Amino acid sequence: MPGILQQLQETSSFIKSLYPHTPQVGIVLGSGLGNFAQEIQVEKEIPYEAIPHFPVSTVEGHHGKLIFGELGGKKVVVMAGRFHFYEGYTPEQVVYPIRVMKHLGIGYLLLSNAAGGVNPAFKVGDLMVITDHISLSTINPLIGKNHSELGPRFPDMSEPYSKALIKKVRAIAAAAGIKLQEGVYFGVTGPTFETRAEYKLIHRLGGDAVGMSTVQEVIVAIHMGLPVFAVSVITDIGIREEDNIITHEEVLQAAKEAEPKLTIIFKQLVAGL
Ligand code: HPA
């Protein structure tokens, strides 16, 4: 097994042989948020299964693709589909594409996800700018030998979500009349949605939203010194008192409905970087 740097070099040179430009911004699209890709002037698409050292899909059929192109006058690389720990990938596999995008040259990482609301003030369809996260119940992807070529052994996590990018997004949303929530994303492994007691506990522990992705990606981005902006689409309210069954279909539908707001924010944020 080659070292991480050699793997990243092999993956990057394969990608560069198909798409020679340097992307400036990396974007990850969460569940139900794939339509955003239509905003991109696509220059090249590469299915994950064609890319050396990318995780091999655990499910039948194609898992996703990297989309290269232009958005708001910038070169972007978009992950349409991400890898989740609950699918059986190791934490290192989950974050490998983030490391690849950094190695390709991105200067910013924008993430989106579908998440359950545990702040009682939230409504389905709200966008929540992630200002911080709690990763106590996810597996840290930096466990193991530190790849000192990529970053330090003990990364500082006092500003995992760039304050400068959050400030830009607040201005964009205000000008566009989009209401934004802000809060703490509580990472869990899934794949079960939470029990009623767990939603309550997560809220007591300081979470405003809960989800099964993002945290591990943010950790490796910070390890590499990459500024991150992340936003959750609140697709269900776990904390409500009445009987509350949450389905994957409900999550996808709510994400789809909120997508136009997310599109405005990502598009304008990229244009202004
Ligand atoms: N919990 C965890 N992950 C989620 C949820 C949720 O309620 N909704 C969407 N992703």
Side-chain angles (χ1 to χ4, degrees):
M1 188 82 161
I4 185 84
L5 216 50
Q6 194 189 330
Q7 282 185 47
L8 287 170
Q9 270 152 9
E10 285 169 7
T11 303
S12 302
S13 49
F14 170 81
I15 291 171
K16 281 192 187 301
S17 74
L18 299 175
Y19 183 78
H21 309 290
T22 299
Q24 295 155 279
V25 183
I27 300 173
V28 181
L29 301 179
S31 305
L33 300 167
N35 279 341
F36 173 79
Q38 289 166 7
E39 300 296 319
I40 299 153
Q41 289 161 265
V42 177
E43 294 167 352
K44 186 77 199 168
E45 292 187 351
I46 310 178
Y48 292 158
E49 58 264 34
I51 305 176
H53 303 305
F54 253 51
V56 177
S57 176
T58 54
V59 283
E60 295 238 347
H62 60 120
H63 188 94
K65 58 193 172 184
L66 285 184
I67 303 171
F68 293 87
E70 247 179 55
L71 179 77
K74 302 276 183 337
K75 295 279 185 211
V76 297
V77 50
V78 175
M79 283 182 72
R82 55 152 58 96
F83 298 94
H84 300 89
F85 184 61
Y86 65 74
E87 292 173 277
Y89 301 107
T90 65
E92 278 231 307
Q93 288 177 312
V94 167
V95 300
Y96 187 69
I98 307 295
R99 288 176 163 161
V100 168
M101 291 193 288
K102 171 73 163 81
H103 202 256
L104 289 172
I106 63 165
Y108 300 93
L109 179 65
L110 315 186
L111 304 168
S112 60
N113 61 54
V118 291
N119 181 327
F122 290 1
K123 295 192 176 51
V124 169
D126 278 354
L127 294 187
M128 183 191 88
V129 169
I130 303 180
T131 54
D132 208 341
H133 74 222
I134 296 173
S135 82
L136 303 178
S137 57
T138 49
I139 309 295
N140 195 305
L142 301 179
I143 288 173
K145 183 183 173 301
N146 183 48
H147 302 302
S148 53
E149 320 89 296
L150 303 183
R153 170 75 290 188
F154 298 108
D156 173 69
M157 287 296 278
S158 58
E159 192 184 331
Y161 302 88
S162 160
K163 288 189 175 132
L165 295 180
I166 291 173
K167 207 168 148 195
K168 281 179 194 282
V169 167
R170 283 188 192 127
I172 291 165
I178 294 172
K179 183 176 173 239
L180 284 184
Q181 306 283 8
E182 295 189 8
V184 174
Y185 180 89
F186 194 103
V188 292
T189 64
T192 44
F193 292 116
E194 290 63 42
T195 64
R196 294 162 73 82
E198 285 164 349
Y199 282 119
K200 277 188 194 148
L201 177 72
I202 288 167
H203 183 233
R204 283 197 180 184
L205 288 176
D208 295 293
V210 52
M212 307 175 195
S213 65
T214 304
V215 163
Q216 293 172 321
E217 297 157 355
V218 173
I219 289 172
V220 290
I222 297 305
H223 183 234
M224 299 182 293
L226 185 60
V228 174
F229 172 78
V231 62
S232 291
V233 176
I234 304 300
T235 55
D236 50 87
I237 302 293
I239 200 83
R240 64 191 168 189
E241 280 303 324
E242 65 269 29
D243 277 352
N244 188 23
I245 296 170
I246 296 169
T247 65
H248 185 54
E249 288 67 35
E250 175 190 2
V251 166
L252 293 182
Q253 185 59 30
K256 216 168 123 192
E257 283 167 22
E259 190 165 46
K261 294 190 284 185
L262 181 85
T263 299
I264 292 169
I265 285 171
F266 271 12
K267 224 168 134 176
Q268 295 193 22
L269 179 58
V270 169
L273 289 174

